[in-house]
C-alpha cells in the first residue's frame, strides 16, 4: 500500500512540474492538448506525441527505485482513471473541477490541488468569480 502511495505522489510531483514547464516553455507542444476548453474523458490523451512521452516518464522513472509489482499496475490504473475523470465534467463530482477550470484559465491549477496550493498556483470560485489564491508562508 505504501508503494502505491509513493508511486502516485511521485507521479503527481512530476506531472505538476512537467505541466508547468509545458505551459511556460513548451506551449507550442502543449497547446494541442488545450484545443478544447470543455474536454471530455478521451481528451485526456489528446496532444502532441512528445507530451505523451514526456508525461509518461513521471510514471516510469520511479520504477528505478520502486519494485515493479502489482502495486505499480494499481498505481497506473488509478492515475489514468483519475486523469480521465479530471477531463470530463461528468467526473467532477468525484474529483472536483479544478482541472476543467485549468482548461478555461491555463495559468492556474497545473496539478493536484495539494501541489497547486503548496506552490500558489491554485484557484477557487467565490461568488461566481475566479479567484487566484496566493500562498504566503
Amino acid at each position: 500500500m505504501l508503494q502505491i502511495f509513493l508511486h502516485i505522489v511521485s507521479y503527481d510531483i512530476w506531472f505538476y512540474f512537467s505541466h508547468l514547464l509545458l505551459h511556460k516553455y513548451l506551449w507550442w507542444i502543449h497547446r494541442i492538448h488545450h484545443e478544447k476548453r470543455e474536454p471530455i474523458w478521451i481528451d485526456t490523451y489528446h496532444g502532441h506525441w512528445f507530451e505523451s512521452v514526456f508525461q509518461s516518464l513521471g510514471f516510469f522513472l520511479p520504477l528505478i527505485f520502486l519494485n515493479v509489482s502489482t502495486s505499480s499496475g494499481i498505481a497506473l490504473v488509478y492515475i489514468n482513471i483519475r486523469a480521465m475523470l479530471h477531463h470530463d465534467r461528468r467526473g467532477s463530482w468525484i474529483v472536483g473541477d479544478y482541472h476543467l477550470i485549468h482548461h478555461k484559465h491555463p495559468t492556474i491549477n497545473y496539478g493536484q490541488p495539494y501541489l497547486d496550493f503548496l506552490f500558489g498556483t491554485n484557484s477557487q470560485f467565490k461568488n461566481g468569480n475566479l479567484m487566484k489564491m496566493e500562498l504566503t508562508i
Side-chain angles (χ1 to χ4, degrees):
M1 195 66 156
L2 178 61
Q3 190 170 358
I4 295 169
F5 175 76
L6 290 174
H7 207 146
I8 291 168
V9 169
S10 65
Y11 176 79
D12 288 351
I13 293 167
W14 173 271
F15 182 86
Y16 177 84
F17 286 107
S18 63
H19 193 196
L20 191 61
L21 180 73
L22 286 164
H23 273 266
K24 302 278 185 193
Y25 303 106
L26 299 170
W27 178 249
W28 61 275
I29 289 173
H30 189 55
R31 71 178 171 78
I32 296 168
H33 177 72
H34 275 270
E35 287 176 342
K36 295 185 181 173
R37 289 177 50 111
E38 288 285 340
I40 60 170
W41 67 272
I42 195 69
D43 296 323
T44 304
Y45 307 105
H46 175 72
H48 193 280
W49 67 267
F50 176 81
E51 181 175 356
S52 299
V53 171
F54 185 53
Q55 293 288 356
S56 296
L57 289 175
F59 178 80
F60 293 106
L61 286 178
L63 293 176
I64 295 168
F65 306 102
L66 302 170
N67 294 328
V68 177
S69 65
T70 305
S71 64
S72 303
I74 293 169
L76 181 62
V77 168
Y78 172 81
I79 288 166
N80 278 277
I81 290 173
R82 180 180 67 178
M84 289 185 279
L85 291 171
H86 283 311
H87 283 86
D88 199 307
R89 175 108 8 238
R90 295 169 292 183
S92 64
W93 67 276
I94 299 169
V95 295
D97 64 352
Y98 67 92
H99 193 74
L100 293 171
I101 293 169
H102 169 76
H103 272 262
K104 289 182 178 177
H105 306 278
T107 59
I108 52 174
N109 297 0
Y110 295 106
Q112 294 301 313
Y114 69 94
L115 291 169
D116 280 306
F117 180 77
L118 184 64
F119 294 108
T121 53
N122 64 326
S123 69
Q124 96 182 23
F125 275 97
K126 264 189 186 171
N127 301 325
N129 296 319
L130 183 65
M131 303 293 292
K132 180 165 178 163
M133 299 176 62
E134 298 296 330
L135 179 64
T136 54
I137 298 177

